[in-house]
Amino acid sequence: MRKPPKNHLTKSLMTDQFLQVLFGRWGCVATHNAGRILIVSQGILATATILISPLIADLATVFAISEAESGLLIGVFSAAILFTFPFSGLFADRFGARRTAIFGLTLFGLSGCTFAYVHTFEFALFLRIIQAIGFGLAQPSLIAMFADFFSGIRETTIQGINTSFKSIVQLATPVISGLLFALSWRAPFHLFLLALPAAALIWSTVPECESIDGRIGKTYLRGIAWFLTKRTTLCLMSGFFTRTYMLFGMYTYISVLAIRETGMTVAMLGLLLGTNSLMKFAAASQVGRLSGHSSTNLIAIIGFALFGTGLALAGFVPTVPIIYFAIAIAGVGDGLIDPAMKSMVNSLSSPAYRISSMAVALTFQAIGKTVSPISVGILLVFLEPATVFIVLGTVGGLLGVSVLFDIWIRTRERNGLKT
């Protein structure tokens, strides 16, 4: 067998060393072909809302409707995801994670692109519901599939890289969307077509790793029910809810706090949220390195402590420098929580129930995203914005720390192993 060229080996070695500097000892997992495809696929899914959000006001003009009605393009998408997630795990366990991810990505891409050619708002809403179903089918399978190819620190590392990549996508998408919209209101929606080559790459490159024999019977359903009602699982799911509740409470009302208390401009707010995203990117990229020294459970606990401290500090000392510092801390915390908790789901779940467990976790996450803006908005009727952020950070941070600490204690008592 012919040896690879010397320059190829040197280039490969340099790449591995560079990735280890960026992401830690196991940073070379980013060169794994299946891993890269799964990461890129999830980055494409991450454009679902962030691509449309900056265009809401302009789309209201396009369809001759009010801005409130135009906002339904995001609302119905979130609602449809919420109803799809609980069934996506069963669908994947019946037909396979790979097939489910391919079908979901194809549905996501085709319905998203077709949006560019609609003439009525009602049909646009219908396409967003179809796109949400595709999203809801694909995402749990894509996240859970990491555990089919990686384990331990390597799996945690690639979860961190995945979160970092999605942070970059979420930073770049609004800019690209705005530039394309200047050419035509239809142009941004063609970006969703990127889901089709991603689906093709999964079909041709990523092998199917079946966790069960494809039969969904009473024994299987009882097994899922037993796992999901365990105290450890319930604590973990409540952690997913708490994290997104805090996150979208911050996203929705940080402008209220910053403008009322400090008089920040819109440009300054954009920089503030950009700082938060950059800190999340930086923290998530180091989760693999940190997992070599402590458990993913402990990393998530530290993340909740930082996230809660950041939100509470923003309300306790609402000045421009402190708010920037506080929201940056919150970004670090969120960057630690997201990949660590997804890795925990994969490690704590039986392979037979892994995708269903991830789907349930994402359902709790979607519920937190849905109810947070409404309930935090109700608090703002009775409390000052600064007080609301103190309550949100303190209660959310303590709840997140306590439920994950409970998992940590129970896991150590049961088997003495790191989660």
Side-chain angles (χ1 to χ4, degrees):
M1 184 173 64
R2 295 177 59 186
K3 294 182 179 180
K6 185 176 180 180
N7 61 342
H8 175 78
L9 293 174
T10 302
K11 183 178 179 181
S12 177
L13 181 61
M14 291 177 63
T15 300
D16 287 349
Q17 290 174 340
F18 176 70
L19 291 172
Q20 287 174 13
V21 170
L22 284 181
F23 305 117
R25 180 182 177 186
W26 297 107
C28 56
V29 295
T31 63
H32 188 281
N33 202 27
R36 285 185 295 185
I37 294 170
L38 295 177
I39 288 173
V40 170
S41 298
Q42 290 180 71
I44 293 168
L45 291 179
T47 64
T49 298
I50 201 69
L51 185 148
I52 288 183
S53 182
L55 310 179
I56 288 298
D58 295 297
L59 289 174
T61 302
V62 168
F63 290 109
I65 56 175
S66 68
E67 292 183 3
E69 290 175 301
S70 183
L72 288 173
L73 292 170
I74 293 176
V76 298
F77 185 88
S78 299
I81 287 176
L82 190 58
F83 284 102
T84 303
F85 275 149
F87 301 100
S88 60
L90 292 176
F91 194 89
D93 287 334
R94 174 63 181 84
F95 298 103
R98 174 172 165 270
R99 294 186 186 92
T100 302
I102 291 168
F103 179 72
L105 283 167
T106 303
L107 204 61
F108 178 88
L110 290 177
S111 56
C113 177
T114 305
F115 189 101
Y117 301 97
V118 301
H119 299 287
T120 66
F121 183 64
E122 291 75 17
F123 191 43
L125 287 178
F126 171 75
L127 288 174
R128 283 291 283 172
I129 292 172
I130 298 301
Q131 189 180 33
I133 293 172
F135 181 101
L137 290 174
Q139 191 182 43
S141 293
L142 290 171
I143 298 173
M145 283 170 68
F146 281 130
D148 290 331
F149 304 101
F150 310 99
S151 60
I153 297 174
R154 296 170 76 245
E155 193 267 344
T156 304
T157 300
I158 203 161
Q159 291 283 8
I161 296 172
N162 179 53
T163 299
S164 296
F165 181 73
K166 286 194 292 186
S167 297
I168 294 173
V169 169
Q170 289 170 343
L171 275 173
T173 299
V175 178
I176 297 172
S177 176
L179 292 174
L180 290 174
F181 193 88
L183 299 175
S184 166
W185 77 265
R186 305 177 191 275
F189 300 98
H190 291 87
L191 289 175
F192 290 130
L193 281 176
L194 291 172
L196 300 184
L201 283 172
I202 293 175
W203 176 265
S204 62
T205 307
V206 179
E208 180 71 87
C209 297
E210 297 286 0
S211 59
I212 61 171
D213 62 5
R215 292 176 295 177
I216 304 299
K218 292 182 179 179
T219 302
Y220 173 79
L221 295 175
R222 281 198 296 267
I224 292 179
W226 172 82
F227 176 77
L228 294 177
T229 53
K230 289 171 60 179
R231 178 167 172 172
T232 298
T233 308
L234 291 174
C235 285
L236 185 55
M237 300 306 162
S238 66
F240 274 86
F241 171 85
T242 303
R243 178 226 161 206
T244 51
Y245 187 94
M246 295 168 67
L247 182 64
F248 283 88
M250 179 192 76
Y251 279 161
T252 307
Y253 296 108
I254 186 62
S255 60
V256 178
L257 173 71
I259 292 174
R260 284 194 192 178
E261 299 291 342
T262 69
M264 278 191 190
T265 63
V266 174
M268 293 172 69
L269 281 169
L271 182 60
L272 177 66
L273 292 176
T275 300
N276 177 268
S277 295
L278 286 173
M279 296 306 291
K280 178 178 179 178
F281 161 79
S285 70
Q286 300 307 303
V287 167
R289 193 191 305 273
L290 293 172
S291 65
H293 304 283
S294 61
S295 69
T296 51
N297 200 328
L298 185 58
I299 293 170
I301 289 172
I302 294 171
F304 267 112
L306 291 173
F307 199 175
T309 299
L311 295 185
L313 181 61
F316 192 71
V317 188
T319 63
V320 172
I322 296 299
I323 288 180
Y324 268 91
F325 177 68
I327 298 304
I329 290 176
V332 172
D334 189 37
L336 296 178
I337 297 168
D338 188 26
M341 288 186 61
K342 287 172 181 172
S343 182
M344 287 175 67
V345 173
N346 281 341
S347 63
L348 291 173
S349 304
S350 162
Y353 313 134
R354 185 178 292 140
I355 301 173
S356 291
S357 301
M358 186 63 71
V360 173
L362 294 177
T363 300
F364 275 82
Q365 185 171 287
I367 293 172
K369 176 181 177 179
T370 303
V371 305
S372 177
I374 299 171
S375 56
V376 175
I378 292 173
L379 282 178
L380 281 169
V381 175
F382 304 98
L383 302 173
E384 291 297 317
T387 306
V388 169
F389 268 76
I390 293 172
V391 172
L392 183 64
T394 303
V395 176
L398 287 175
L399 180 59
V401 167
S402 62
V403 295
L404 290 174
F405 185 74
D406 184 80
I407 297 173
W408 187 57
I409 293 296
R410 286 177 172 275
T411 304
R412 286 173 63 89
E413 288 177 349
R414 185 171 64 249
N415 53 27
L417 298 176
K418 291 183 179 180
T419 57

